[in-house]
Amino acid sequence: MKPAGRGDAERQAGKPSLRQQRSTESTGSANECVKRTETKRKAKYPVSTENLVEAMVERGNMIKAYDRVMSNKGASGIDGMETKELKEYLVAKWAEIKKELLEGAYKPKPVRRVEIPKPNGGMRKLGIPTVVDRLIQQAVHQILEPVFEPTFSENSYGFRKGRGAHDAVRASKQYVREGRKYVVDTDIKKFFDEVNHEILLKKIRAKVMDKRIISLIKAYLTAGVMSGNIVEPSEKGTPQGGPLSPLLSNIMLDDLDKELEKRGHKFARYADDCNIYVRSKRAGERVYASISNFLEKKLRLKVNTEKSSVDFVSRRKFLGYTILAGKEPRISVAKESVKRLRCKLKEIFRTKKYLRMESLIEELNKITIGWIEYFKLAETKQFAEELDGWIRRRLRRKVWKDWKNPLTRARNLKKLGLGEKQAYESGCNGRGNWWNAGAKHMNIAFPNKTFNEMKLVSLSMRLTVA
């Protein structure tokens, strides 16, 4: 009889064999490895991404998305439905839409093409989704944001809660204060139109396990654009105009942020507008070349050479501001921003010239209050004082034109405090409207105090208060 081996003896004694022990140890080790990997993943991405569609269509999330869409209002999409019609539509159709979303079968409608003028010329292409698609995009945004937001760079300021353009400008000033007086002003060429779908979706797959959400995002990216009566396929890009586009833009450009951080650069990025601060022009030129190469090779994006440059910070603008470099850097408003405001106000003076003075001032205030609120970081007041003077002169010009003939002008000037001789000579001087608007007699007749009483907003006073 063959002597019993060690394994036979262990089996007879009810103990696992050495092979079984090793197999159990191997399985246990593998399970522990999986658990460690999963623990690390959860530590890095604390939000579960396995059942995101269920989280998306959850009542609380949809109500929040609905409230956001209703507050934003916005134009209708290709179906013509307005936001005020959304509630009634959802009452009738939500069960069907929800089922399609849960099954991964929902098909978004193409966006409606809208073009608006850019501040520096050219047209910006917007894609306006239907109201229903805006609702769903907003719901997707709300459940994806907690997944990606914790991993975004501290140097990214666009489209993020608790961050904004002012934070980016303050950071830029700090970099200049540290001695980085040259800037690599990087503008990505047609960024929102050129986003590569394959690269973007790959980045989303790396953090999102629910394939239905990825399929839904892909469906939105490829839904197409309706221009006139023709639907054009969208093989690349993420159309501006939908609630999801800002988050997707940050996901796409996060690699750029990480690359700049890895290289130790000081920078501020707001959407596709990225400023990198360096100590010399030569260093800036090296950075410009390498980052352009990185964008093209890694993300398949190109730098707009016409709008990008390496220059002294005071010669460039960032988010409408300019940093004046000196012993103590100061934040100022870019000349282009002031010029654009003047153009806007000129349009008001031209199109609303028949309004009464009080009504015209109300129209002007609607623009200037929001404008100066955005530019309240400015640490110089000269631009605001010059704008105040220019606006008052335009108002005096309106009064002078409204008076029309010389005798009416002379009579009104006399009523407003000028002596008879001075009123007659000023009213009949034969000079042009703009010259008279800045002349002494109109400043006496309509002093600054009068405009203050009419509630004309003073930009310089608002800036002082801010």
Side-chain angles (χ1 to χ4, degrees):
M1 180 182 289
K2 185 179 178 181
R6 181 181 173 186
D8 296 326
E10 287 173 341
R11 276 193 297 274
Q12 290 170 8
K15 295 179 181 179
S17 66
L18 181 61
R19 181 180 292 177
Q20 288 173 327
Q21 289 176 19
R22 286 174 179 170
S23 175
T24 303
E25 287 171 6
S26 176
T27 303
S29 177
N31 288 337
E32 286 175 12
C33 182
V34 169
K35 285 179 182 177
R36 283 197 301 270
T37 302
E38 183 63 14
T39 302
K40 286 180 181 178
R41 190 190 71 78
K42 286 182 177 179
K44 193 172 184 181
Y45 312 120
V47 179
S48 173
T49 64
E50 293 176 353
N51 299 300
L52 286 182
V53 173
E54 282 75 10
M56 181 190 77
V57 299
E58 188 267 326
R59 180 177 174 80
N61 188 59
M62 292 308 303
I63 289 173
K64 184 180 175 184
Y66 175 84
D67 290 342
R68 185 66 182 267
V69 169
M70 294 302 290
S71 64
N72 288 342
K73 297 181 180 179
S76 59
I78 63 168
D79 60 358
M81 185 191 297
E82 297 182 8
T83 50
K84 63 184 179 182
E85 303 172 74
L86 179 59
K87 185 175 182 179
E88 184 179 349
Y89 182 84
L90 291 175
V91 169
K93 297 286 187 180
W94 175 243
E96 181 183 334
I97 294 170
K98 181 179 178 179
K99 184 173 181 290
E100 290 178 351
L101 288 167
L102 288 168
E103 293 175 353
Y106 182 80
K107 300 294 181 187
K109 288 183 171 62
V111 297
R112 181 168 66 88
R113 169 72 75 223
V114 174
E115 293 187 350
I116 60 172
K118 287 184 178 180
N120 298 323
M123 302 298 287
R124 176 175 282 113
K125 294 179 181 179
L126 299 182
I128 309 300
T130 64
V131 178
V132 174
D133 282 328
R134 289 209 295 275
L135 173 71
I136 296 169
Q137 282 196 34
Q138 180 61 38
V140 174
H141 183 285
Q142 288 166 188
I143 54 111
L144 281 187
E145 188 177 49
V147 176
F148 288 93
E149 175 62 30
T151 67
F152 284 153
S153 167
E154 287 296 311
N155 299 290
S156 165
Y157 296 93
F159 315 126
R160 297 179 64 188
K161 286 181 182 177
R163 290 169 164 264
H166 288 173
D167 301 301
V169 173
R170 289 189 190 101
S172 300
K173 179 187 173 182
Q174 180 58 33
Y175 298 146
V176 176
R177 180 185 281 124
E178 292 168 0
R180 297 172 179 84
K181 296 187 178 181
Y182 285 86
V183 62
V184 183
D185 187 350
T186 313
D187 182 88
I188 300 173
K189 189 174 185 178
K190 296 181 179 178
F191 169 70
F192 287 93
D193 298 328
E194 295 294 327
V195 167
N196 184 283
H197 292 172
E198 183 183 341
I199 294 174
L200 175 59
L201 290 169
K202 184 179 178 181
K203 294 178 185 303
I204 297 172
R205 286 191 194 100
K207 296 180 183 177
V208 173
M209 297 178 69
D210 193 331
K211 293 180 179 179
R212 295 168 299 171
I213 282 288
I214 295 166
S215 297
L216 181 60
I217 293 170
K218 184 177 181 179
Y220 274 116
L221 291 172
T222 58
V225 178
M226 180 167 279
S227 184
N229 294 319
I230 301 171
V231 176
E232 301 171 358
S234 45
E235 298 174 352
K236 58 184 178 179
T238 168
Q240 288 176 274
L244 197 52
S245 185
L247 177 62
L248 295 181
S249 71
N250 276 332
I251 293 171
M252 185 68 180
L253 290 175
D254 191 51
D255 274 3
L256 172 62
D257 298 338
K258 298 296 191 290
E259 180 67 16
L260 291 170
E261 287 173 347
K262 186 173 76 175
R263 298 183 187 187
H265 291 308
K266 301 294 184 180
F267 69 98
R269 181 179 66 79
Y270 191 99
D272 57 334
D273 196 355
C274 182
N275 274 13
I276 309 163
Y277 296 86
V278 294
R279 297 183 186 276
S280 70
K281 188 165 187 179
R282 181 176 293 181
E285 288 167 350
R286 287 197 302 269
V287 171
Y288 179 78
S290 62
I291 289 303
S292 298
N293 184 62
F294 173 84
L295 285 167
E296 190 164 349
K297 296 287 176 65
K298 181 81 174 179
L299 302 179
R300 298 184 199 172
L301 296 168
K302 290 186 177 180
V303 169
N304 188 335
T305 54
E306 293 179 4
K307 293 184 178 179
S308 302
S309 179
V310 179
D311 210 340
F312 196 63
V313 289
S314 300
R315 299 194 191 106
R316 303 298 295 181
K317 65 181 177 66
F318 183 46
L319 302 175
Y321 284 93
T322 292
I323 308 296
L324 302 177
K327 191 172 182 181
E328 178 55 39
R330 290 179 301 158
I331 300 171
S332 185
V333 178
K335 291 178 181 178
E336 294 91 334
S337 301
V338 175
K339 184 179 178 181
R340 284 200 295 272
L341 176 64
R342 287 198 183 213
C343 288
K344 258 188 192 177
L345 297 180
K346 278 182 181 179
E347 187 66 13
I348 296 294
F349 279 113
R350 186 180 69 80
T351 58
K352 311 280 185 179
K353 60 185 177 183
Y354 298 112
L355 290 178
R356 292 172 57 251
M357 181 67 77
E358 290 79 1
S359 300
L360 178 58
I361 285 173
E362 282 181 18
E363 293 295 322
L364 296 173
N365 287 346
K366 287 177 186 177
I367 295 174
T368 56
I369 290 173
W371 190 87
I372 200 62
E373 179 63 22
Y374 176 77
F375 287 108
K376 65 184 178 182
L377 292 187
E379 296 167 316
T380 59
K381 285 182 63 174
Q382 185 179 348
F383 78 94
E385 291 166 350
E386 288 175 354
L387 280 169
D388 281 340
W390 179 81
I391 291 169
R392 288 192 294 263
R393 187 168 178 178
R394 294 285 307 201
L395 289 169
R396 292 184 183 111
R397 178 177 180 265
K398 169 186 165 51
V399 173
W400 187 260
K401 286 184 74 176
D402 288 349
W403 285 344
K404 293 183 180 178
N405 67 69
L407 290 178
T408 302
R409 289 166 177 166
R411 187 166 56 252
N412 287 331
L413 286 173
K414 184 180 176 182
K415 285 180 184 177
L416 291 167
L418 273 74
E420 187 172 348
K421 182 181 178 184
Q422 186 183 3
Y424 180 79
E425 288 176 351
S426 299
C428 303
N429 63 42
R431 301 262 192 166
N433 297 324
W434 187 246
W435 184 91
N436 276 285
K440 184 179 178 181
H441 52 267
M442 282 301 286
N443 279 273
I444 294 172
F446 278 86
N448 296 351
K449 180 183 175 183
T450 300
F451 293 117
N452 293 338
E453 290 169 354
M454 291 180 177
K455 298 188 166 86
L456 175 68
V457 166
S458 167
L459 297 175
S460 56
M461 287 300 294
R462 283 258 172 174
L463 194 60
T464 302
V465 171

